[in-house]
Structures are given as C-alpha cells and as structure tokens.
Amino acid sequence: MNIGIVCYPTFGGSGVLATELGKALADKGHIVHFITYQQPVRLTGFSANIFFHEVRVPAYPLFDFPPYETALASTLVDVVKNNNIDLLHVHYAIPHASAAFMAKQILAEQGIHVPFITTLHGTDITLVGKDKTYAPVVAFSINKSDAITAVSDNLRAETHTNFDIQKEISVIHNFVDIKRFSKTPMDAFKKVIAPHGEKIILHASNFRKVKRIADVIYTFNKINKTIPSKLLLVGDGPERPMAEELCRELGIFEDTRFVGKQQDMEDIYAIADLFLLPSEYESFGLSALEAMAAGSPVVASRAGGIPEVITHGVNGFLSEIGDVESMSRDSILLLSNPIMLDQFSKAAKMQAKIFDIENIVPQYEALYTKVLTNASAAQPQ
Ligand code: GMT
C-alpha cells in the first residue's frame, strides 16, 4: 500500500507512535509518506520505502497566526496526486482530521478518491479537543473520517462522552518494539548517573501540567530519604523550570539529573530500576509501555487508560491521582526488596509483549484493507 501519514513531528507520544508505525509499515514493504512541518524526531536512518514531505507555511505580515491547516490540506492534495497515495492516516485530530477532510473533498472534485483514517491519541479529545473553540470542527471531522481508531478503551469511552460520534471507533492500542527495548544496560552510562550503585528512578515526558511533574519530585523526595537513589528526568516542556526549582527547594537537586530531550530512549530505559508516571490523564501511557519493555516496573496514577497497561501489584503499582504518599510507599516497597523488584521487572516485560509491534501493526494493516475495500465498493464502476 501507498500510505500517507500525518502527525506532529515532535517527541510527543502521538508523533512517536505515528513515526514508529510508519517505519514498521515500511519494513513490511509498504510505501510510507510522512507529511508534516518538520522531519519527525524518531525518523532517523534511511529506508527506501519512506518519504518525507515538509508542510511549508509561508510567512506573511498580515498573519498573526499562519494558517497551518490550510497549508497542510494543500500539501496533502499535492502529495496524494503526485504519489498515488491509497489512503491517509492522520494522528491527533487537531487540525489533522479537518485538513484531511478538506483535502479529500478537493481531490474528489478532481476525480481522485482517497479515504482517511483518524487516530485519536488523548489530549486531542480530553483536553484541547473538547474546548468550545475547537469542539464542533473536531466532532465534524472525526465523523467524516472513513475509520476512527483510539489508543485505548478509555479514550474510546471519553470520545463518546465528549462528542456525538456516530461511527464505530476501533481500539488499537499503542505498541512497542520489544526487540529494540530489551537492551543490556550500559555500565558506563549507569555509573555516570548513579556512581555508587544508587537505584535509578526515571520519568520521561513533555513536562506539561497533565504530567504532574511536581508529584514525580515529591515522590522521589520521599523515596530518596529511605533508599540511596537518583532521579533521571528526560524531556522538556513548560513545567521544567518549576521542577528544577522544586528540587532545589527540597534539597535534592544533587540527586536529580535533567537530561532534556533524548533520541536513544532504549539506552535510558535500560538503566532504570523504576519508572514514575503520576499523570492527571493518560489515554494509554506509551512511555510506561516502553519502560516496561525494558524491564522497569511502573508506579503510576490510576488515570485514563493506564490500568489497561499496568496491572496493580503484578508489574507495577497504581494510586489515585496526586496520592504521593501511596506512590512513594509502593516505590520504596519495590526498591527495597530485590526479589520482588526482579519479579515485577519480569512481569513488566511479559505484559509489554502483549503490545509488541508484531501484534499491533497487523491490526492497522487489516483496518487499511477494510477501508480501501469499502472505498472502492463505494465508487461507481
Ligand atoms: O503524552 C503526551 O502528552 C503527548 C501525547 C500526544 O498526543 O502526543 O500523547 C498521547 O498519545 C500517546 C500515544 O498514543 C499516549 O500514549 C499518551 O498517553 C497520550 N497522552 C495523554 O493522553 C496525556
């Protein structure tokens, strides 16, 4: 198949997942065209089956807000026409679904029929999308999609709660490439972070409010009082200055390391003993899954789709949102008990296998085939 993928090119979960999906599809022989405003961060290396088309948004003094959606829709028209694209798969509803709908309409006027699939990722529904400013366009363009997927049962339910969606929403969970994330820890790297064999506690995110970074730090502060440990913080975003300040206030700055945005996440996950994810909401929690694939149990909040990934008391622990007491108690329990930590680590790897790339990518391929069959049946012969 000739597939056009639209996503955010950044470190956010939706962009990461879309890029990994495109790479996996290319490995399976499909031709994949990424269409976005810059090269996706996880799109490294060369593949003969992968193409990248940049959406350019020309500056003009009249525009306080350059019209990205219009530029994207026009680029989609161009890419579909010139590359025989069979279908478009857009990740994150805003503004990708409405741009795809616009492109589809323009192309139909020219006798070219291209279906589009919208994958909902989380905040496009739960936070940004339901805002009155966007909601009518989001609901309309989701309903106009030829197929809709959500990354968890929870997100499907949230979508039905927030919008009047008349179409079936298929759940296709996030996935991880188990082979890639089963790495042996690099001793030298581990030594840099934890020179005296301290336990390494990891958090990785885009440091937005929804991630509750302060809870990561308060939890670590309590762990650190009992267990020699280091906190490794990966990523960047609006909450980072607050997080650094809080670490200084609590006197734990020396035991924390902010490493910013990182490419080689598999090397980082490999050295972690425990992953913290105390988010206000996660549609799924891709970072938790990647950590589990590398053998880290996860201490997380019982929010959104997280319980679909983590089984409490088996491969991690779940607490109510904001319950730092309980999260630190569970972390200390695990980290101070080597047998239990090892059991949880093995169970985390087992759980991650359910979401292995080899099990999930075929679900997308099956959906593509169904959409293309329906689309061709709908065309007059
Ligand atoms: O985690 C983020 O804040 C980024 C966000 C995105 O849309 O880029 O991630 C969302 O999509 C991921 C991939 O499907 C999910 O694993 C994350 O749970 C989800 N984030 C939220 O729902 C907050």
Side-chain angles (χ1 to χ4, degrees):
M1 278 177 242
N2 233 340
I3 302 153
I5 291 185
V6 179
C7 64
Y8 284 103
T10 54
F11 282 94
S14 62
V16 167
L17 191 99
T19 310
E20 296 296 349
L21 174 61
K23 283 166 32 181
L25 291 165
D27 285 345
K28 295 182 96 176
H30 300 288
I31 306 294
V32 177
H33 295 262
F34 285 98
I35 305 137
T36 180
Y37 58 84
Q38 75 192 22
Q39 169 116 354
V41 287
R42 285 244 183 142
L43 191 58
T44 50
F46 173 77
S47 162
N49 290 348
I50 293 182
F51 296 83
F52 167 60
H53 307 269
E54 185 186 333
V55 180
R56 287 188 322 104
V57 192
Y60 186 65
L62 181 72
F63 299 146
D64 280 339
F65 306 100
Y68 179 66
E69 191 174 339
T70 306
L72 174 60
S74 299
T75 309
L76 289 177
V77 169
D78 184 63
V79 172
V80 169
K81 272 166 73 172
N82 291 310
N83 298 278
N84 291 319
I85 300 291
D86 295 312
L87 62 86
L88 293 169
H89 186 176
V90 306
H91 292 260
Y92 207 89
I94 309 166
H96 301 156
S98 42
F101 175 67
M102 173 68 96
K104 180 179 163 159
Q105 296 302 107
I106 295 168
L107 288 159
E109 296 267 308
Q110 301 173 25
I112 299 166
H113 299 279
V114 65
F116 76 98
I117 295 168
T118 300
T119 288
L120 309 172
H121 279 274
T123 49
D124 46 352
I125 296 302
T126 56
L127 223 68
V128 195
K130 72 179 187 195
D131 188 297
K132 256 193 355 218
T133 323
Y134 298 118
V137 175
V138 172
F140 175 82
S141 49
I142 293 175
N143 274 317
K144 290 291 178 190
S145 306
D146 294 276
I148 311 158
T149 78
V151 298
S152 63
D153 293 326
N154 173 272
L155 185 59
R156 172 167 57 186
E158 285 287 334
T159 308
H160 282 302
T161 304
N162 291 312
F163 301 97
D164 180 16
I165 302 298
Q166 289 117 30
K167 285 201 168 144
E168 186 194 337
I169 302 177
S170 311
V171 172
I172 303 184
H173 286 111
N174 281 181
F175 61 84
V176 65
D177 183 350
I178 296 283
K179 285 197 248 25
R180 212 176 97 205
F181 283 87
S182 308
K183 281 193 98 173
T184 314
M186 281 200 293
D187 278 346
F189 178 33
K190 205 167 177 166
K191 273 235 146 56
V192 170
I193 304 297
H196 306 292
E198 296 92 339
K199 294 287 184 208
I200 299 177
I201 291 134
L202 176 66
H203 172 79
S205 75
N206 50 21
F207 284 60
R208 285 186 286 139
K209 272 216 156 18
V210 70
K211 303 291 174 182
R212 295 186 70 97
I213 304 295
D215 287 1
V216 173
I217 289 159
Y218 285 125
T219 302
F220 173 70
N221 185 39
K222 284 177 185 288
I223 299 170
N224 189 246
K225 287 196 173 12
T226 314
I227 297 199
S229 48
K230 298 284 181 184
L231 176 63
L232 182 57
L233 292 132
V234 182
D236 211 342
E239 294 288 282
R240 180 162 164 188
M242 174 283 296
E244 293 196 25
E245 192 50 42
L246 185 57
C247 290
R248 280 194 198 93
E249 269 171 35
L250 294 171
I252 53 170
F253 197 73
E254 293 305 308
D255 287 325
T256 57
R257 184 92 178 231
F258 289 82
V259 293
K261 295 175 184 172
Q262 294 291 322
Q263 285 284 358
D264 300 320
M265 283 307 291
E266 47 276 44
D267 292 328
I268 295 175
Y269 286 121
I271 63 161
D273 294 291
L274 185 73
F275 189 82
L276 291 179
L277 192 67
S279 304
E280 186 84 30
Y281 180 81
E282 287 294 337
S283 62
F284 183 92
L286 180 59
S287 56
L289 176 62
E290 291 185 339
M292 289 165 86
S296 276
V298 182
V299 168
S301 50
R302 195 175 279 109
I306 293 179
E308 293 172 48
V309 190
I310 297 162
T311 313
H312 179 72
V314 175
N315 44 46
F317 285 107
L318 300 174
S319 298
E320 295 317 306
I321 297 164
D323 192 345
V324 168
E325 264 318 311
S326 151
M327 287 189 258
S328 50
R329 210 173 37 240
D330 291 337
S331 304
I332 292 167
L333 179 70
L334 262 176
L335 294 170
S336 57
N337 186 337
I339 295 172
M340 191 182 188
L341 186 60
D342 186 55
Q343 274 171 355
F344 271 59
S345 165
K346 288 189 175 119
K349 280 188 179 177
M350 286 288 289
Q351 174 76 350
K353 279 189 185 151
I354 297 172
F355 303 103
D356 186 28
I357 196 165
E358 289 183 9
N359 299 329
I360 306 292
V361 172
Q363 297 178 30
Y364 281 114
E365 288 177 289
L367 183 69
Y368 295 167
T369 304
K370 186 170 151 194
V371 164
L372 287 175
T373 309
N374 291 346
S376 74
Q379 291 315 309
Q381 298 305 307

